[in-house]
Amino acid sequence: MPGDPKECREHAKRCGELARLATTQEARQQFLSLQMSWIRLAADLDNAKAFIDAMNEMDEEPPVKAAES
């Protein structure tokens, strides 16, 4: 699956650092906004991976037979 949540969190951390170093309120807000976007993307990627893993598990399970009468 494309995208790495860990890499997204690293980008978010860097944006937080840049926000602390920003010299204007506008720049600070932009970096904080980018930080939140990276955090959301990481969460979305985590959720997508969990969904794909669950779907793959369902595909691997043998079908359930109906009770014979």
Side-chain angles (χ1 to χ4, degrees):
M1 179 174 72
D4 180 1
K6 182 179 178 181
E7 187 176 322
C8 292
R9 288 184 183 93
E10 289 172 6
H11 288 304
K13 181 180 177 184
R14 181 64 179 142
C15 286
E17 293 166 357
L18 291 170
R20 285 187 290 279
L21 296 173
T23 57
T24 67
Q25 184 65 19
E26 183 181 356
R28 187 174 356 280
Q29 289 304 317
Q30 285 291 332
F31 284 120
L32 292 174
S33 177
L34 285 170
Q35 181 183 35
M36 291 309 300
S37 294
W38 282 114
I39 290 169
R40 279 191 302 274
L41 179 57
D44 288 347
L45 289 169
D46 283 335
N47 290 335
K49 182 180 181 328
F51 178 76
I52 290 169
D53 290 347
M55 295 302 292
N56 287 337
E57 282 183 27
M58 289 175 59
D59 287 343
E60 294 171 2
E61 293 177 8
V64 177
K65 281 189 161 185
E68 294 180 19
S69 314

